[in-house]
């Protein structure tokens, strides 16, 4: 039986990618906390998941056909945050909220990292066989 | 990997806040710089921030925009520094050596309270961005230890 990395990692590698992408988006919101007319943005996990699932796959009618993947939409899954308070300069960054989201996001990153690390350790143990 | 983008983003914010802090320092230093005519008087300087987008980077043909096409943006930039249009403060001080023939001396339109508030805001934002950078750093260091334990 071949070892499948995709199933062994149980999507945690993709989650790490998502978490670091989201960290960049949130960091950008915080960086632009004093920029007039800046609108705070965020990626939702569901949007990311839908994007992953909606990738086009070529139909293979012969076993020798080469499979390929394309992406369906050009949407990047980035949404605009609903402002909790209107501000005079049109900026919708709520510093406290962004910091809280960033902290939560990095904890979730750590969680996925831990799972991934344990999975790799498990595989290493299985391969060592002792 | 978009974690390395965080360094660019927070770095740009830190340098923008430093510019802001510099203008505050300049305004506060010149709060009492008197002049004898309105056009020679120091005027309060304010930086104008604008968001920096990947698109605009691409438009001007610099930066490796293919690395991150998420549209998340890459931080903040200082568009320029403008002088405040607030009215200057003419004061009637005929004994002042800089007084004009009517006895008036012009003082800058710097509002020290506003400047102090601006300074606090700038240093807080700077701190926050340092913390963001630190936590991005620890996330990256963690990534390097994947599978080692």
């Amino acid at each position: 039986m071949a070892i499948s990395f995709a199933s062994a990692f149980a999507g945690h590698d993709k989650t790490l990618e998502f978490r670091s992408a989201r960290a960049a988006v949130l960091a950008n919101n915080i960086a632009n906390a004093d920029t007039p007319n800046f609108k705070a943005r965020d990626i939702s996990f569901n949007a990311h998941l839908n994007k992953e699932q909606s990738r086009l796959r070529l139909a293979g009618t012969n076993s020798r056909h080469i499979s390929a993947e394309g992406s369906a939409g050009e949407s990047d899954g980035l949404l605009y945050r609903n402002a909790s308070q209107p501000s005079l300069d049109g900026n919708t960054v709520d510093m406290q909220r962004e910091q809280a989201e960033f902290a939560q996001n990095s904890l979730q990153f750590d969680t996925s990292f831990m799972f991934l690390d344990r999975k790799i350790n498990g595989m290493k143990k299985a391969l060592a066989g002792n | 990997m978009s974690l390395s983008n965080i360094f660019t983003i927070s770095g740009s914010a830190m340098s923008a806040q430093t510019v802001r802090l510099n203008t505050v320092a300049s305004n506060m230093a010149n709060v009492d710089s008197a002049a004898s005519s309105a056009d020679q008087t120091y005027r309060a300087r304010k930086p104008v921030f604008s968001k920096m987008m990947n698109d605009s980077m691409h438009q001007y043909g610099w930066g490796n925009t293919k690395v991150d096409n998420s549209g998340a943006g890459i931080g903040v930039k200082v568009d320029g520094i403008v002088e405040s249009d607030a009215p200057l403060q003419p004061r009637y001080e005929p004994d002042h050596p800089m007084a004009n023939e009517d006895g008036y001396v012009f003082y800058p339109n710097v509002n020290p309270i506003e400047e102090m508030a601006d300074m606090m805001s700038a240093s807080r934002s700077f701190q926050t961005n340092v913390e963001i950078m630190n936590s991005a750093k620890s996330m990256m260091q963690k990534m390097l230890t994947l599978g080692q334990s």
Side-chain angles (χ1 to χ4, degrees):
Chain A
M1 190 185 78
I3 294 175
S4 157
F5 280 107
S7 61
F9 290 161
H12 283 296
D13 49 340
K14 295 269 183 212
T15 316
L16 277 187
E17 263 175 49
F18 169 73
R19 292 291 164 210
S20 43
R22 185 157 183 247
V25 175
L26 295 176
N28 192 51
N29 287 347
I30 291 172
N32 283 290
D34 298 313
T35 311
N37 285 317
F38 178 81
K39 308 289 179 214
R41 312 199 75 175
D42 202 354
I43 333 174
S44 80
F45 193 83
N46 283 339
H48 194 74
L49 190 70
N50 287 339
K51 193 180 126 200
E52 282 293 322
Q53 282 174 342
S54 66
R55 282 185 191 280
L56 296 171
R57 283 189 178 76
L58 290 185
T61 49
N62 188 303
S63 60
R64 283 178 295 179
H65 281 168
I66 299 167
S67 65
E69 264 185 13
S71 93
E74 283 301 305
S75 158
D76 48 20
L78 271 176
L79 304 170
Y80 288 96
R81 178 155 290 162
N82 287 326
S84 51
Q85 274 190 83
S87 72
L88 212 57
D89 62 355
N91 186 306
T92 63
V93 178
D94 181 346
M95 203 60 156
Q96 281 70 37
R97 190 170 168 192
E98 300 298 336
Q99 275 179 292
E101 296 278 354
F102 192 89
Q104 193 186 13
N105 187 60
S106 58
L107 265 181
Q108 284 162 333
F109 178 92
D110 285 356
T111 313
S112 279
F113 176 86
M114 200 190 70
F115 273 109
L116 198 58
D117 207 35
R118 300 282 157 87
K119 297 268 185 201
I120 291 173
N121 268 334
M123 283 169 88
K124 272 162 90 178
K125 273 185 189 145
L127 289 168
N130 51 19
Chain B
M1 201 64 176
S2 38
L3 271 178
S4 48
N5 285 347
I6 297 181
F7 290 94
T8 325
I9 293 169
S10 296
S12 73
M14 279 155 71
S15 78
Q17 299 296 345
T18 314
V19 170
R20 194 168 160 213
L21 211 54
N22 265 324
T23 59
V24 170
S26 165
N27 292 344
M28 287 299 268
N30 285 296
V31 73
D32 283 323
S33 305
S36 41
S37 74
D39 45 314
Q40 282 172 357
T41 316
Y42 179 88
R43 285 165 191 273
R45 277 138 212 246
K46 302 276 173 202
V48 177
F49 289 176
S50 76
K51 65 186 170 185
M52 213 158 32
M53 294 296 288
N54 282 332
D55 304 342
S56 62
M57 294 267 291
H58 196 61
Q59 191 185 332
Y60 293 110
W62 56 288
N64 189 0
T65 52
K66 294 286 167 208
V67 175
D68 176 41
N69 54 5
S70 64
I74 45 157
V76 60
K77 73 171 182 216
V78 180
D79 248 5
I81 295 172
V82 293
E83 290 189 333
S84 169
D85 280 340
L88 299 166
Q89 304 172 34
R91 283 185 214 158
Y92 185 65
E93 287 177 2
D95 298 334
H96 198 285
M98 303 284 275
N100 61 10
E101 51 269 27
D102 301 328
Y104 279 96
V105 180
F106 290 90
Y107 282 93
N109 54 359
V110 176
N111 180 353
I113 300 164
E114 197 183 297
E115 298 298 329
M116 290 299 277
D118 231 20
M119 184 183 79
M120 303 271 280
S121 169
S123 69
R124 289 285 173 194
S125 298
F126 189 90
Q127 263 178 317
T128 312
N129 280 293
V130 171
E131 276 162 33
I132 295 293
M133 219 176 198
N134 261 332
S135 79
K137 187 181 131 199
S138 66
M139 278 158 94
M140 274 184 104
Q141 276 176 337
K142 212 163 192 181
M143 283 294 276
L144 293 175
T145 65
L146 187 66
Q148 274 182 6
S149 60

